Amino acid sequence: VAGVAIVAVLATRDDDESPTGRATTADPLPSTSTPPITELSSATVPTEVTTSTPPATPRDAVLGTWTGIYVCAQGDTRLRLTFDRGPGPADLTAVFAFGPTESNPDVPRGSYRMEGTISDGLLNLHATTWIEKPRGYITVDIMAPVAGAEPPHLTGDIIGAPQCSTFAVARRG
């Protein structure tokens, strides 16, 4: 705004002369015959104010619902991971929900809660409590690299069950 005022003053002072006959620019106020500065500079005044938002935490990269499959002794199993914020900037809570796939329709449905973090680009979640436990099933933990601020998919390892191997999910919605 200060730059705009100077431009307006310089533009209106070309015809103004001091009592000594020389042009002056020392008085920043416009004369009464000059339109107000706001009228002269309205085209240069921004109409929108942009603010920067703080950078997203690594945790924010995975918030929301993801769907895909994981592989264990029972075969391919449908997986839905729903991530939410935990108490700290890297902390996460999640629900690990599983069930049948088209190629493996006999898998029961189940779900449990998880907690963990994303640190140095690595997601680590461990199981905490069952929500719905099918007979004979155990909880597993997961680990996966997280690349970028909005990764379209996560692919990682199932931890804690030797008969399980990997999972792959894509962002839903």
Side-chain angles (χ1 to χ4, degrees):
V1 175
V4 172
I6 291 170
V7 170
V9 169
L10 292 176
T12 60
R13 291 293 180 189
D14 286 344
D15 294 331
D16 293 345
E17 292 189 8
S18 70
T20 62
R22 290 187 302 205
T24 62
T25 57
D27 182 8
L29 298 174
S31 68
T32 55
S33 63
T34 310
I37 290 175
T38 55
E39 288 179 27
L40 288 175
S41 61
S42 64
T44 59
V45 174
T47 57
E48 292 183 27
V49 176
T50 57
T51 59
S52 61
T53 56
T57 64
R59 168 198 62 200
D60 294 339
V62 299
L63 295 179
T65 301
W66 301 70
T67 58
I69 62 165
Y70 73 100
V71 180
C72 271
Q74 72 274 11
D76 287 354
T77 305
R78 184 178 50 84
L79 172 60
R80 185 181 69 238
L81 286 170
T82 305
F83 295 101
D84 204 357
R85 289 177 174 88
D91 298 332
L92 288 165
T93 62
V95 172
F96 185 109
F98 58 91
T101 63
E102 196 172 294
S103 64
N104 196 3
D106 295 331
V107 173
R109 296 180 190 279
S111 59
Y112 53 90
R113 289 178 174 68
M114 302 184 87
E115 294 178 348
T117 62
I118 294 180
S119 180
D120 296 325
L122 190 61
L123 167 70
N124 277 299
L125 290 176
H126 61 275
T128 57
T129 57
W130 279 101
I131 299 168
E132 180 182 355
K133 182 181 191 279
R135 185 178 166 105
Y137 275 70
I138 63 169
T139 61
V140 296
D141 299 338
I142 62 173
M143 183 174 20
V146 177
E150 293 184 24
H153 56 81
L154 297 173
T155 303
D157 296 318
I158 302 287
I159 310 293
Q163 65 277 23
C164 297
S165 58
T166 60
F167 77 95
V169 292
R171 190 179 299 275
R172 186 171 155 199

